[in-house]
Amino acid sequence: MNRPVLVIGNRNYSSWSLRPWLLLRQFGVEFDEVRLALDAPDFAAQALRHSPTGKVPALRDGALAVWDSLAICEYANERWLDGNGWPADLHRRALARAAAAEMHSGFIALRTQLPMNSRRRPDAYRWDAAAQRDIDRVQALWRGLRRDHGAGGDFLFGGFGIVDAMFAPVAIRFDGYGVTVDDTAAAYMQALFALPALRQWRQAAEQESERVAATDALCRPA
């Protein structure tokens, strides 16, 4: 049987690619990988070979092509994870999906002003009040989920799952931009960073040679 193929962008910059990659790798799903450089002149043409949107990530499983990070995670959950990507309890599963969907569709100021850059180290760059409101909301969400549903593990609903994969790029952003976080957020981020799969992703990101100028420019003090 042929293994599924996950098409991703640069590890350093592609937050959407990280999410399904981390889920699959952390759950031990074997897959092949195609990496496309986001700033390559032929990126769109290459991506259209795998996804009708011309974007990454995309998953090919035989003749089936699935695009969008959350859709890929949902498919993987049914195809390979035996449903273990979400909490077993109906109410907790609904809350986990709501949190994942909020990340998927929201936090625009945070995503725009603190773009994914795994190699980044904190400096004098700062963001505006809209991004800070997003940062505050993320931490309030993490606090509430860890307090009410995190027993039995270090993640938002105890064990690692799809909702944690959705927030993993935010932890990288908080770390790289020097965001001040509360104790709950700090502990949760360390749990994510300790995952073998996330360590592998970040180590590979350090070795990438490509640069996205607009994102790297934010490394300079404002």
Side-chain angles (χ1 to χ4, degrees):
M1 177 180 286
N2 293 332
R3 303 202 304 182
V5 177
L6 183 66
V7 184
I8 64 172
N10 310 59
R11 284 180 172 83
N12 190 58
Y13 303 107
S14 186
S15 60
W16 295 109
S17 297
L18 168 57
R19 293 172 166 113
W21 188 98
L22 177 60
L23 183 76
L24 292 171
R25 188 71 76 201
Q26 191 60 32
F27 273 92
V29 178
E30 294 188 356
F31 62 94
D32 294 322
E33 177 187 304
V34 173
R35 192 184 74 93
L36 305 178
L38 297 173
D39 58 343
D42 63 344
F43 169 79
Q46 291 295 321
L48 280 169
R49 296 173 54 195
H50 306 283
S51 166
T53 65
K55 298 177 181 179
V56 292
L59 179 76
R60 295 202 318 270
D61 184 21
L64 176 67
V66 184
W67 61 98
D68 182 274
S69 61
L70 187 53
I72 295 169
C73 289
E74 289 278 18
Y75 176 75
N77 186 53
E78 297 182 6
R79 177 76 165 85
W80 298 292
L81 308 188
D82 196 27
N84 290 312
W86 295 116
D89 175 77
L90 174 64
H91 291 179
R92 296 174 76 241
R93 187 163 64 250
L95 291 173
R97 281 194 163 115
E102 183 176 358
M103 180 65 255
H104 188 265
S105 62
F107 305 117
I108 303 302
L110 168 60
R111 297 208 306 256
T112 301
Q113 296 181 47
L114 287 73
M116 173 81 164
N117 189 344
S118 186
R119 288 190 296 257
R120 196 185 194 284
R121 299 297 179 266
D123 56 29
Y125 173 77
R126 287 298 177 265
W127 43 91
D128 70 13
Q132 186 61 49
R133 285 192 294 272
D134 283 352
I135 290 168
D136 295 342
R137 169 57 189 159
V138 167
Q139 293 192 70
L141 182 60
W142 289 356
R143 281 195 305 273
L145 294 178
R146 285 290 300 147
R147 181 190 64 237
D148 297 337
H149 304 286
D154 296 325
F155 300 97
L156 296 180
F157 288 83
F160 175 80
I162 292 172
V163 65
D164 304 294
M166 292 299 293
F167 279 104
V170 177
I172 291 175
R173 286 173 160 99
F174 285 3
D175 185 51
Y177 288 90
V179 173
T180 299
V181 298
D182 61 29
D183 291 345
T184 298
Y188 176 54
M189 289 166 58
Q190 289 309 306
L192 287 168
F193 296 152
L195 289 169
L198 190 52
R199 289 203 307 268
Q200 181 184 354
W201 176 279
R202 299 190 80 187
Q203 288 166 1
E206 290 283 349
Q207 303 304 314
E208 289 181 337
S209 60
E210 299 95 346
R211 294 290 187 272
V212 175
T215 299
D216 283 344
L218 295 179
C219 293
R220 295 196 298 267

